[in-house]
Amino acid sequence: MKEKVKQRKPLKIPVFVAVYVSVIAVCIALDQLSKYLIGIACAKHGTINIIGSWLTLFWTTNPGATGGIFTNLSWSNWLFFFMTLVGIPVFGWLLMRSRTRSVWGQVAFAFIIGGTIGNAIDRIYFAERGFFTGEVRDFIRVEGFFGIFNVADSFLVVGVILALLAIIFFDHDSLMWSIIKERKGKKQDEDENDTTDK
């Protein structure tokens, strides 16, 4: 007898789309607003200490990924443009697919889409540099961390962590549930075989 994993009733598609388009819009707004306001503050005060010298706001632009990865590639702008072009539809599909799974995955892919679009806006255009420079505004510096990052990067990292947690633990068809069901199935088969032998 197969055990059914209890599933939450998914939101209707129009409600689901409205909720997560709103979440994505908030992610983008927070990213762009923080870049604008911190840019003004750092232009006026220079480096701003938040928690001593451990957490500071330090204004810079980054032509690479989080932490300056791929900075020295001459074609990095096209690489990120292609990744964004491919990534947003893929993450959008994963977000829709997560509608029948856990909320963890839904929030995860909404964060990833919001973070991706937030940084893509910078790469396409921001006022200080013009169009299609490929640079992203970064301002959060943590001592001992490998680079300077921004709010969009934070959404991306948190989104990836939540997505992994959903895939491993929280989706109704997660790896953990699959292993548990497989073990229970084997145990039931062994019990049935023992009963038959007797």
Side-chain angles (χ1 to χ4, degrees):
M1 188 174 178
K2 290 185 178 179
E3 181 184 340
K4 290 185 178 179
V5 178
K6 190 176 180 181
Q7 299 178 30
R8 295 174 72 252
K9 188 177 179 181
L11 295 173
K12 292 182 179 179
I13 289 178
V15 176
F16 180 85
V17 170
V19 167
Y20 286 103
V21 165
S22 299
V23 172
I24 292 166
V26 168
C27 293
I28 296 167
L30 287 173
D31 174 63
Q32 292 296 305
L33 187 62
S34 65
K35 287 171 177 173
Y36 175 73
L37 294 176
I38 300 301
I40 292 172
C42 286
K44 187 175 181 180
H45 303 290
T47 300
I48 300 170
N49 293 334
I50 303 299
I51 304 176
S53 61
W54 181 77
L55 175 62
T56 59
L57 301 179
F58 176 82
W59 183 256
T60 187
T61 58
N62 175 17
T66 304
I69 300 169
F70 303 133
T71 300
N72 297 323
L73 292 178
S74 58
W75 41 272
S76 63
N77 194 13
W78 293 103
L79 172 66
F80 292 121
F81 179 74
F82 176 76
M83 287 169 65
T84 302
L85 210 60
V86 173
I88 289 175
V90 169
F91 294 131
W93 176 80
L94 289 168
L95 175 57
M96 288 303 296
R97 181 177 175 270
S98 69
R99 186 176 75 89
T100 57
R101 290 169 170 78
S102 70
V103 175
W104 291 72
Q106 295 166 22
V107 173
F109 293 116
F111 277 10
I112 291 170
I113 293 169
T116 300
I117 294 174
N119 278 338
I121 290 170
D122 276 19
R123 294 187 193 284
I124 294 168
Y125 174 79
F126 70 87
E128 292 87 350
R129 303 285 179 159
F131 285 97
F132 209 63
T133 63
E135 295 181 338
V136 170
R137 294 170 286 180
D138 285 341
F139 56 85
I140 304 170
R141 181 168 61 184
V142 179
E143 190 175 338
F145 191 66
F146 69 93
I148 302 172
F149 57 99
N150 57 41
V151 172
D153 295 331
S154 302
F155 280 123
L156 284 165
V157 171
V158 171
V160 169
I161 292 169
L162 292 178
L164 289 172
L165 289 172
I167 291 165
I168 297 170
F169 298 109
F170 298 114
D171 286 354
H172 68 80
D173 56 352
S174 67
L175 295 175
M176 182 189 73
W177 280 114
S178 298
I179 291 168
I180 289 171
K181 286 193 289 185
E182 186 181 342
R183 286 182 177 174
K184 284 188 176 179
K186 284 181 180 177
K187 184 74 168 61
Q188 285 175 353
D189 290 344
E190 287 172 2
D191 291 344
E192 287 173 7
N193 289 336
D194 289 344
T195 304
T196 305
D197 292 341
K198 289 177 183 177

